[in-house]
Amino acid sequence: MKKIGFLSFGHWTPSPQSQARSAADVLLQSIDLAMEAERLGMDGAYFRVHHFAQQLASPFPLLAAVGAKTRKIEIGTAVIDMRYENPHYMVEDAGAADLISGGRLQLGISRGSPEQVIDGWRYFGYRPTKGEDDADMGRRHAEEFLELLRGKGFAKPNPRPMFPNPPGLLRLEPYSAGLRDRIWWGSASNATAVWAAKLGMNLQSSTLKFDETGEPLHIQQAAQIRAFRAAWKEAGHKRTPRTSVSRSIFPLLDDRDRRYFGRGSRVEEDKIGFLDENTRAIFGRSYAAEPGILVEQLRNDEAIAEADTLLLTIPNQLGVAYNAHVMEAILTTVAPALGWH
């Protein structure tokens, strides 16, 4: 494991028990949390994107703001649902955010997960073409986005433009060199991991995966990462790809930790659920224990050992100070024993 970042879903609720009671709270606290993570030496600040929900939804204003307030930490998403995206507009937004951050953007994209409303992408003006389903549409949007990120001109210039044009066909601006190599695909299956490798995207494997073998999640994810790397090698890409897994990990250091996450001696197991009537999925367990016990548990997680990046899902509604405490506890009491430094 080379890098550790946090992943926030950006929930808010007006409940008095929540430290994030509005969208403004979540957005401003997300910036503060990224600044705290950078101060602590964490490698990445990542944010989830969900539409029609009291969660983070429009990532690029937030990513740009975080980029302006930080200097070193990687800034990313896990993941943007491409069924909702206009690839052309997204290239412009992503290029601007990446330039503001000095080339630190790590964009996780995906075909998306079950949403709050039925076919929510239809309200954004998108429809699958004939013979497509919504997953095909999301992958089509992703491929178009990747092609546009190459910066190749494609638009015929106006012979009487308002401003002088460079010679040849025009590309979208602002263009950020290198961003194409920092796109990740959030994959829930072995097949889409292989597809992502062929297209030259990095791999994000989350706390959920299609249950393809009946084995524990960490074993299935480790196999998925190996399949991704094999496909990458076969495709002949020159650079080394990156891979990540997400986990909920809480060292129990004080009474507050035990009150929030202590569960006595009970050990959590993976959970099985259905994303729809035909898709069986396996969901990862949470880890919560004293640091010494956590280290031993995490050493047995094959996917963490296989990936180069670990994303820590955080309880953002507990506030910036508490989440900074959790991150510091992991970085100082757990991560060094797993090879991070």
Side-chain angles (χ1 to χ4, degrees), residues 164-216:
N165 279 323
L169 299 177
L170 302 183
R171 67 186 182 189
L172 292 169
E173 301 288 354
Y175 170 70
S176 185
L179 180 56
R180 172 61 178 79
D181 290 340
R182 288 178 273 116
I183 306 302
W184 305 59
W185 184 258
S187 175
S189 70
N190 290 1
T192 54
V194 168
W195 172 81
K198 291 178 179 178
L199 290 179
M201 287 186 280
N202 302 307
L203 176 68
Q204 289 179 339
S205 190
S206 186
T207 50
L208 174 157
K209 185 182 179 297
F210 294 172
D211 187 10
E212 299 182 81
T213 66
E215 296 171 294

Side-chain angles (χ1 to χ4, degrees), residues 211-221 223 270 272 280 282:
D211 187 10
E212 299 182 81
T213 66
E215 296 171 294
L217 173 71
H218 73 102
I219 293 176
Q220 294 197 48
Q221 284 185 315
D270 293 340
I272 298 295
R280 174 183 163 106
I282 184 167

Side-chain angles (χ1 to χ4, degrees), residues 98-333:
D98 195 44
L99 291 171
I100 288 170
S101 73
R104 289 180 284 133
L105 220 57
Q106 300 284 341
L107 277 186
I109 64 175
S110 178
R111 57 129 306 167
S113 60
E115 293 289 295
Q116 298 300 106
V117 300
I118 297 170
D119 296 345
W121 31 269
R122 292 184 181 274
Y123 296 99
F124 281 55
Y126 301 114
R127 301 284 189 279
T129 60
K130 185 177 181 181
E132 280 188 331
D133 61 16
D134 64 304
D136 296 326
M137 179 180 69
R139 286 188 284 269
R140 172 168 53 82
H141 286 179
E143 291 188 41
E144 189 173 357
F145 175 63
L146 293 173
E147 184 59 33
L148 291 168
L149 280 175
R150 296 186 187 280
K152 183 179 179 181
F154 63 91
K156 186 176 180 179
N158 187 340
R160 293 180 295 278
M162 181 177 294
F163 309 105
N165 279 323
L169 299 177
L170 302 183
R171 67 186 182 189
L172 292 169
E173 301 288 354
Y175 170 70
S176 185
L179 180 56
R180 172 61 178 79
D181 290 340
R182 288 178 273 116
I183 306 302
W184 305 59
W185 184 258
S187 175
S189 70
N190 290 1
T192 54
V194 168
W195 172 81
K198 291 178 179 178
L199 290 179
M201 287 186 280
N202 302 307
L203 176 68
Q204 289 179 339
S205 190
S206 186
T207 50
L208 174 157
K209 185 182 179 297
F210 294 172
D211 187 10
E212 299 182 81
T213 66
E215 296 171 294
L217 173 71
H218 73 102
I219 293 176
Q220 294 197 48
Q221 284 185 315
Q224 181 192 40
I225 292 171
R226 288 191 290 270
F228 167 82
R229 289 193 176 124
W232 185 278
K233 183 178 180 181
E234 184 179 348
H237 302 304
K238 302 303 181 185
R239 67 179 179 88
T240 301
R242 290 183 59 184
T243 59
S244 74
V245 293
S246 302
R247 294 290 185 269
S248 298
I249 302 172
F250 301 101
L252 303 181
L253 300 184
D254 56 30
D255 289 342
R256 184 175 49 169
D257 299 330
R258 285 183 279 273
R259 183 170 68 253
Y260 285 144
F261 301 107
R263 301 175 180 87
S265 59
R266 182 170 66 87
V267 177
E268 278 200 9
E269 302 292 339
D270 293 340
K271 298 177 178 63
I272 298 295
F274 286 85
L275 300 181
D276 54 43
E277 60 272 15
N278 299 315
T279 308
R280 174 183 163 106
I282 184 167
F283 301 78
R285 54 167 292 194
S286 294
Y287 292 93
E290 283 68 29
I293 297 173
L294 270 184
V295 168
E296 291 307 311
Q297 291 176 338
L298 295 171
R299 279 176 175 162
N300 293 323
D301 189 309
E302 294 185 16
I304 291 178
E306 196 71 40
D308 57 70
T309 301
L310 173 63
L311 299 183
L312 305 168
T313 59
I314 59 166
N316 75 279
Q317 288 177 287
L318 295 181
V320 174
Y322 181 73
N323 280 290
H325 157 75
V326 170
M327 291 189 291
E328 184 173 23
I330 291 170
L331 293 180
T332 57
T333 69

